[in-house]
Amino acid sequence: MASLASVREWHDETDVLVCGFGMAGSAAAIEAHDSDPTADVLLIEKMPETLAGGNARVSGQSLLISKDVEALKSYQRAMSAANPIPEDMLDAWAQRMVALEPYIEARAKEVGAQYIHGVGWSERAAVLEYPEFGAASAVAHTATILPAPSGVWLAFKANVEKRKRIRRSFQTALLDLIQDPDTLEIFGAVVSQDGARKNIKARRGVVMCTGGFENNLDMQRNYFGLSEAYPLGTPGNTGDGIKILQKAGADLWHLRNQGQSGGVWPGFRYPQHPTVFLRQLFWQSFSWIDVGADSRRFIDETYEWQITHYKQKVQGQWIDTPHQRVMPMHMIFDEITRQYNCLVTSVMTWNTVVEKYSWSDDNSAEVANGWIVKADSIEELARKTGRDPAALADTVKRYNAGCARGVDDEFGRNPATLQPIAKPPFYAIAMVPAIVCTGGGARRNIESEVLDHAGNAIPRLYEAGELGSMFSNLYQNGSYLTEAMISGRAAGRNAAGLRAWG
């Protein structure tokens, strides 16, 4: 923590300092600007301008729309039963969620973007993740802003750019908060800019929107317990905000959600790329299986696990699918699957949307560069991937026998997807646990005030978005972006409404 007494020079000053240019940061900056016509707003982002946007830029762009406050409260309460959300926060969140759609429509209309019902890149009108908890009553529909991908983020980015009193500073990383060590009151921040430490005075407040710790493997291991996990979203989410908030005296919560709420998905990782590729969600053929460390199958591979964010029901409880517990993993497939299925999803993830990597439609380029291992027999494939040839051959033999019978005795796979791995050559691609986002961070209230260990608000300090998200266990599709809007708006409005210090 940097104390006010240690500051010898202010290199910049503003009324509201917003840290992080993702969805929450955008909403906070817009709200601070619009709620006070005199407020100066400075939005800082540690990434270059071309790489700004956080996870919002590469998410599925789904927006949960609800029309029933009580149904939404009941649904979220059930999903959060393992770690209950404070009831007053839940009630206010549900009311703001039900009132949110006109705000989203206005943001789209202001910049000439098209707001639609649906998800934009599939035919689903809505995703109801947990029907037994009341999803059908709670979710009116899913919505988005075109184009796909990135439409919601692009619309909010354009809203920020239209507002000239919102100043933007890229490649400006938050290093610390400037704070009174006794009262914990926040007066500004220390940043790194152009290789130098600089002090920014925040006359009214600081809003933390710096995202999670998906791209910090040490924090994954020590805060959540995953020995190997990699981000699907921005490489910029390295947990900086969590450590800064700890120093500021904030209480922490939701660091160990189930799968960090967004789930642990199957991905492909290569050193040439900053994050991981998400495996295809929609298949043209199904002559493939997944195997774990013992070269045996471990799950119904073709079930649409994305509908529940890679949670499965075991003994009546929704828990993470086994992917992170069976490493090393490989997807095993034949020539038919190779020819007719691009193995990755292109409308989400950093590598495809931002880095613009175009995975070949028939995977031939990835075979050629060695990302996909090729062999003339299953036994040869096993040797090339460091597996026991007899074990892998037996697994494929059992699977093929089930295909012939039309029954998967091991995992009950849909008979329509029981296509044998039979046409050579055969292929294997290594899979790793891929993280959508992390939701842990500082404990906050519905007004986005950061709370200390006694439950008191730290003066002039706010937090929004996935950093310290209110979601504590299971996750309903479309909730993160909308929560970022709600928490960002509260943070921006409340910070702008404070009387300036000094």
Side-chain angles (χ1 to χ4, degrees):
M1 176 186 67
S3 69
L4 183 61
S6 69
V7 175
R8 298 290 179 262
E9 178 185 4
W10 294 109
H11 300 91
D12 197 355
E13 60 181 275
T14 186
D15 289 309
V16 178
L17 176 63
V18 180
C19 308
F21 194 5
M23 180 54 59
S26 300
I30 292 166
E31 196 74 13
H33 175 282
D34 291 1
S35 62
D36 184 346
T38 69
D40 179 79
V41 181
L42 176 58
L43 177 56
I44 65 171
E45 166 59 48
K46 80 172 186 179
M47 302 292 278
E49 185 170 5
T50 57
L51 302 181
N55 288 336
R57 185 171 175 180
V58 297
S59 78
Q61 307 298 299
S62 292
L63 304 171
L64 167 63
I65 304 299
S66 179
K67 302 296 184 182
D68 190 322
V69 170
E70 293 304 316
L72 184 59
K73 283 169 56 179
S74 177
Y75 183 43
Q76 188 61 55
R77 188 186 295 116
M79 288 191 291
S80 309
N83 188 2
I85 297 170
E87 195 65 24
D88 59 342
M89 188 176 195
L90 185 66
D91 181 72
W93 167 79
Q95 292 186 45
R96 294 178 191 191
M97 277 289 293
V98 169
L100 188 62
E101 189 170 31
Y103 168 82
I104 304 171
E105 291 177 303
R107 299 286 70 74
K109 183 178 180 180
E110 184 171 343
V111 294
Q114 184 179 2
Y115 172 83
I116 65 166
H117 291 182
V119 299
W121 50 270
S122 81
E123 296 179 354
R124 285 196 177 92
V127 177
L128 307 179
E129 300 216 18
Y130 304 102
E132 71 267 40
F133 295 151
S137 299
V139 181
H141 55 264
T142 299
T144 193
I145 299 174
L146 297 179
S150 306
V152 178
W153 151 248
L154 291 172
F156 275 73
K157 174 177 178 286
N159 271 263
V160 168
E161 291 169 345
K162 280 191 66 177
R163 290 160 168 79
K164 301 308 179 186
R165 279 188 291 108
I166 300 177
R167 295 184 289 128
R168 293 169 292 140
S169 179
F170 299 96
Q171 294 180 277
T172 304
L174 178 66
L175 299 179
D176 206 351
L177 295 170
I178 298 170
Q179 185 176 31
D180 185 306
D182 297 317
T183 67
L184 301 187
E185 184 175 3
I186 302 298
F187 299 105
V190 182
V191 303
S192 174
Q193 188 180 65
D194 301 323
R197 289 172 64 94
K198 297 183 179 181
N199 301 319
I200 300 177
K201 181 178 182 179
R203 292 185 291 263
R204 302 188 196 179
V206 174
V207 183
M208 300 277 289
C209 309
T210 56
F213 58 96
E214 307 91 79
N215 202 30
N216 187 323
L217 188 54
D218 183 68
M219 290 182 73
Q220 286 286 355
R221 290 169 173 164
N222 288 294
Y223 284 57
F224 186 73
L226 290 180
S227 60
E228 188 172 1
Y230 305 98
L232 291 161
T234 174
N237 279 7
T238 52
D240 315 347
I242 293 174
K243 294 183 178 183
I244 291 168
L245 287 164
Q246 284 177 305
K247 288 177 64 179
D251 195 19
L252 301 184
W253 69 349
H254 303 160
L255 290 167
R256 289 186 62 85
N257 294 354
Q258 286 286 349
Q260 296 156 137
S261 294
V264 183
W265 301 48
F268 309 135
R269 177 177 181 259
Y270 303 100
Q272 303 94 323
H273 295 275
T275 63
V276 292
F277 296 88
L278 176 62
R279 187 168 70 176
Q280 180 61 259
L281 303 178
F282 306 107
W283 297 89
Q284 306 303 312
S285 61
F286 299 91
S287 51
W288 59 274
I289 58 173
D290 295 338
V291 298
D294 60 359
S295 295
R296 304 294 182 187
R297 296 172 62 212
F298 56 88
I299 201 168
D300 173 358
E301 301 92 344
T302 60
Y303 183 81
E304 292 185 292
W305 294 111
Q306 72 272 14
I307 294 176
T308 56
H309 276 79
Y310 275 79
K311 307 293 188 296
Q312 66 178 146
K313 202 170 188 179
V314 177
Q315 300 290 330
Q317 300 293 318
W318 288 97
I319 65 171
D320 298 326
T321 54
H323 292 81
Q324 76 271 26
R325 301 189 294 273
V326 299
M327 294 288 288
M329 296 182 290
H330 279 92
M331 176 184 174
I332 308 297
F333 55 103
D334 71 358
E335 178 68 1
I336 293 175
T337 288
R338 196 277 300 169
Q339 283 184 314
Y340 296 107
N341 302 270
C342 177
L343 291 190
V344 305
T345 298
S346 62
V347 295
M348 293 179 280
T349 76
W350 195 263
N351 287 338
T352 55
V353 175
V354 180
E355 298 291 337
K356 306 295 185 185
Y357 181 85
S358 181
W359 194 286
S360 57
D361 287 341
D362 63 358
N363 312 288
S364 57
E366 291 69 34
V367 173
N369 66 23
W371 293 1
I372 299 173
V373 178
K374 177 181 177 181
D376 291 328
S377 69
I378 295 297
E379 289 83 359
E380 181 189 2
L381 192 66
R383 285 189 288 270
K384 286 186 172 182
T385 55
R387 294 185 174 276
D388 179 354
L392 186 60
D394 182 63
T395 294
V396 173
K397 180 180 177 181
R398 289 186 184 199
Y399 168 75
N400 286 349
C403 293
R405 295 193 308 273
V407 177
D408 177 15
D409 292 326
E410 291 187 278
F411 296 102
R413 191 159 136 170
N414 184 340
T417 72
L418 290 174
Q419 298 173 0
I421 301 170
K423 184 177 181 180
F426 302 103
Y427 302 91
I429 184 168
M431 298 195 302
V432 296
I435 299 294
V436 173
C437 64
T438 62
R443 188 185 298 270
R444 65 176 181 242
N445 59 26
I446 193 62
E447 295 302 329
S448 296
E449 296 173 309
V450 174
L451 306 180
D452 66 17
H453 295 281
N456 300 315
I458 296 176
R460 303 184 189 275
L461 183 58
Y462 299 87
E463 174 199 65
E466 289 169 1
L467 176 64
S469 168
M470 63 172 269
F471 301 125
S472 62
N473 190 43
L474 301 177
Y475 173 77
Q476 164 60 43
N477 176 274
S479 297
Y480 269 132
L481 290 180
T482 47
E483 186 206 18
M485 295 175 192
I486 288 171
S487 59
R489 292 180 73 192
R493 179 176 61 252
N494 290 327
L498 293 176
R499 177 177 293 181
W501 69 271

